[in-house]
Amino acid sequence: MSSYDPPLASLSISHVYYDPNDRISLVCAYLALLPQALCVVYATLILTTREAEILLTFAGQLACEALNFALKRLIKEERPPRISGKGYGMPSSHAQFVAFWSVSVTLFLLVRHNPPKVMGKVESSTHRPWSVAERGLVALAGLVMAALVAWSRVYLGYHTGRQVVVGCGAGAGSAVVWFVFVGLLRSGGWLKWALAHPLARRARARDLIMEEDMVQAGWEKWDARQQAELKANGDKKGR
């Protein structure tokens, strides 16, 4: 570290080094927590929805991490001098992680997800599935967030620009390959076979998210119950 470099502090919940005198550096330190937060989101969604698509995406995310682990030890390129001695830097694992996640979300929303306009037997007058444009905006937000995380790694001095670009490329490429692989599992009937297995049925695994509106899911059933209760209460008052 040169004499003019400011002392670095460690964000206590993550041990991410940042410049305490630089607010942007602090924001970047929090952006570094996105992969951990996404793992929590993955686990929560898997446990609560039991959706096969989410489980398969998380499996691909872990495979992407394994690829990053292998690439770092194959290339053995050091991090920038300011953060040297903290593992290899090529490619950036943060950039690869968020690139896989954001591209996977984009491919799902714009290619695989196709909810019907009317869900179930009850048509809701208060909600409709996301349009293609709305799904595109959500996908764009994910891509922008991933870009910010990747940029933050360079700003904090953990990686060079080249290490981040390679990480983004590896993550995006892995997402496309995994998306195609999952598509082959579907078209070949392997996913349907797996979901029919007694263990999968015991775990209540399902595969509805491609056609079920993610915001609307379960709403019609709840709305029908509420309307039935209101009707029943109205009938009682009318007697």
Side-chain angles (χ1 to χ4, degrees):
M1 182 180 295
S2 61
S3 59
Y4 58 86
D5 283 333
L8 298 179
S10 176
L11 191 61
S12 60
I13 58 176
S14 66
H15 294 294
V16 177
Y17 289 99
Y18 70 100
D19 181 356
N21 300 313
D22 183 355
R23 291 185 179 181
I24 296 178
S25 183
L26 177 60
V27 172
C28 290
Y30 279 107
L31 284 172
L33 300 178
L34 184 62
Q36 291 92 323
L38 288 174
C39 286
V40 174
V41 172
Y42 272 126
T44 301
L45 290 175
I46 290 170
L47 289 174
T48 55
T49 69
R50 312 300 173 95
E51 278 287 345
E53 182 72 18
I54 300 174
L55 177 61
L56 287 170
T57 303
F58 187 45
Q61 190 82 70
L62 295 179
C64 185
E65 284 295 285
L67 174 63
N68 180 267
F69 182 87
L71 287 175
K72 280 189 173 182
R73 281 147 187 80
L74 178 65
I75 301 173
K76 297 182 178 180
E77 182 173 300
E78 298 295 335
R79 295 180 184 272
R82 194 180 186 191
I83 309 291
S84 62
K86 297 186 179 300
Y88 298 119
M90 173 65 85
S92 166
S93 58
H94 276 74
Q96 188 167 330
F97 188 104
V98 294
F100 180 95
W101 165 74
S102 60
V103 172
S104 294
V105 169
T106 298
L107 290 172
F108 171 75
L109 288 175
L110 299 183
V111 179
R112 186 164 286 160
H113 185 53
N114 186 30
K117 294 182 180 180
V118 179
M119 299 297 300
K121 297 180 180 179
V122 181
E123 182 176 0
S124 172
S125 60
T126 60
H127 182 78
R128 60 172 176 74
W130 285 344
S131 66
V132 174
E134 289 169 329
R135 281 181 270 152
L137 287 175
V138 173
L140 178 61
L143 292 169
V144 169
M145 180 61 68
L148 287 174
V149 173
W151 166 80
S152 73
R153 305 306 287 169
V154 178
Y155 190 90
L156 290 173
Y158 275 84
H159 294 282
T160 65
R162 191 167 67 97
Q163 291 171 350
V164 164
V165 169
V166 173
C168 288
S174 297
V176 172
V177 171
W178 191 258
F179 186 81
V180 172
F181 172 70
V182 172
L184 292 175
L185 289 181
R186 290 183 178 282
S187 62
W190 291 102
L191 181 58
K192 183 178 291 187
W193 172 83
L195 291 174
H197 192 278
L199 290 178
R201 292 182 59 81
R202 183 180 292 273
R204 296 177 179 247
R206 67 179 206 169
D207 187 30
L208 294 175
I209 197 172
M210 287 197 305
E211 298 178 353
E212 186 177 68
D213 177 21
M214 292 174 289
V215 177
Q216 183 80 331
W219 168 254
E220 285 82 4
K221 186 182 294 185
W222 168 255
D223 190 43
R225 183 192 300 177
Q226 292 293 93
Q227 295 300 326
E229 290 180 358
L230 290 173
K231 186 176 184 302
N233 291 336
D235 291 343
K236 289 179 181 180
K237 292 179 181 180
R239 293 176 183 176

